[in-house]
Amino acid sequence: MTLIAAAAEDPTFHPPSIWEFFPPVLLFEGTPFAITRINLAQILATVVLVVLFLIGTRRLKMVPGRFQSIIEMGFGFVRNNIAHDLLGRKDGDRFLPILMTMFFMILFMNITGIIPGINIAGTSVIAVPLLLALVSYVTFIYAGVKKSPKGFVKASLFPSGIPIALQWFVAILEFISTFIIRPVTLTLRLLMNMMVGHLMLVLLFSATQFFIFGLGGFWSALGVATGAFGLAFTLFEILVAVLQAYIFAVLTAVYIQLAVAEEH
């Protein structure tokens, strides 16, 4: 029996599919408030994030306990290593709420991809990455216009030192790069990383189930191997979840920094 034939005969076999990202409606079907498994993951991540921060900051003490120390460590990481490092203290404090919200929102929604029973990241559908990219887009444009109302667009499109003959050509490239490519790449980078991570986990654990329970015998050893790879990749997905939150917040801070640079 070939693997393809065995997969066709095994009703429990669950190959990775793009349709994982279009799950059936679980609640309020047929209404504007229809909720799917991904929406539940997004709601759960948001509720847990809000509750943790409310509890962690409700009764702050001069000598913090263990839980308050963890919360402060998270705040300090975003403030010191992203906001202040890239924007300086003054501008960093101005845009810290947005950067903090982006980092922890993405982190918590990414983590839902490895929680048993949910198994899909809240950022693995385009709505959330696109919304965050639009917030980043509006924020850096606002920062640039606020810093230099008359010179922001000109400085963005016509960098100094460009020969006159090439200025309009460069302006077109800068317009595409600054005002179109940035939000698109922010969206796709986060979306694709979380989609691919989910598909890899589905592939590995589906293969484990197929080899052990579908074929059995000699194939069980291969199922153990794919299961081990699945567990290892789950740990790797935690790293990816943190890294993608960090990259998104850092790129937003970099775009803001470029918008408020002195040459504007």
Side-chain angles (χ1 to χ4, degrees):
M1 179 185 294
T2 65
L3 295 181
I4 296 177
E9 293 182 7
D10 183 6
T12 64
F13 183 68
H14 179 57
S17 170
I18 196 67
W19 296 108
E20 287 284 331
F21 304 101
F22 303 93
V25 176
L26 301 177
L27 298 171
F28 311 120
E29 186 172 3
T31 72
F33 307 101
I35 294 178
T36 67
R37 183 161 59 98
I38 295 179
N39 299 134
L40 289 178
Q42 294 166 345
I43 293 170
L44 175 64
T46 302
V47 170
V48 170
L49 177 61
V50 171
V51 170
L52 285 178
F53 281 180
L54 283 177
I55 295 175
T57 59
R58 183 175 55 181
R59 296 178 180 177
L60 297 177
K61 300 177 181 179
M62 290 296 296
V63 180
R66 184 176 303 175
F67 186 62
Q68 182 181 329
S69 296
I70 295 174
I71 297 296
E72 290 181 355
M73 188 182 303
F75 284 172
F77 173 78
V78 178
R79 181 189 61 206
N80 298 328
N81 295 284
I82 299 178
H84 287 177
D85 273 4
L86 294 171
L87 298 173
R89 184 171 296 274
K90 181 180 178 181
D91 285 328
D93 288 341
R94 283 177 60 205
F95 295 100
L96 182 60
I98 289 178
L99 297 174
M100 191 83 69
T101 301
M102 284 183 173
F103 178 83
F104 285 107
M105 179 180 175
I106 295 171
L107 174 60
F108 274 65
M109 288 198 179
N110 286 352
I111 289 294
T112 61
I114 61 169
I115 296 178
I118 300 177
N119 299 116
I120 195 163
T123 50
S124 59
V125 289
I126 196 169
V128 173
L130 179 59
L131 175 63
L132 291 169
L134 290 175
V135 171
S136 175
Y137 181 77
V138 171
T139 301
F140 84 75
I141 290 178
Y142 162 80
V145 172
K146 183 76 173 179
K147 178 74 175 183
S148 180
K150 297 181 180 180
F152 169 65
V153 175
K154 180 180 178 181
S156 298
L157 299 182
F158 298 96
S160 59
I162 302 297
I164 296 178
L166 297 177
Q167 282 188 350
W168 282 104
F169 176 73
V170 172
I172 294 173
L173 294 180
E174 289 293 329
F175 175 80
I176 295 174
S177 173
T178 302
F179 298 103
I180 297 178
I181 299 298
R182 283 183 184 179
V184 171
T185 54
L186 277 176
T187 302
L188 294 181
R189 180 183 293 106
L190 177 57
L191 175 65
M192 294 305 173
N193 273 280
M194 304 320 297
M195 286 183 66
V196 169
H198 174 76
L199 290 176
M200 284 297 297
L201 289 176
V202 172
L203 174 63
L204 290 169
F205 288 121
S206 295
T208 300
Q209 180 186 17
F210 172 59
F211 287 130
I212 294 177
F213 299 104
L215 296 180
F218 168 80
W219 296 102
S220 297
L222 189 56
V224 172
T226 57
F229 277 116
L231 292 175
F233 197 82
T234 298
L235 298 177
F236 178 71
E237 276 296 285
I238 298 175
L239 175 63
V240 172
V242 177
L243 188 60
Q244 288 303 312
Y246 175 75
I247 290 173
F248 200 103
V250 164
L251 287 177
T252 299
V254 168
Y255 296 156
I256 295 171
Q257 192 276 332
L258 292 173
V260 300
E262 289 300 326
E263 58 264 26
H264 288 156

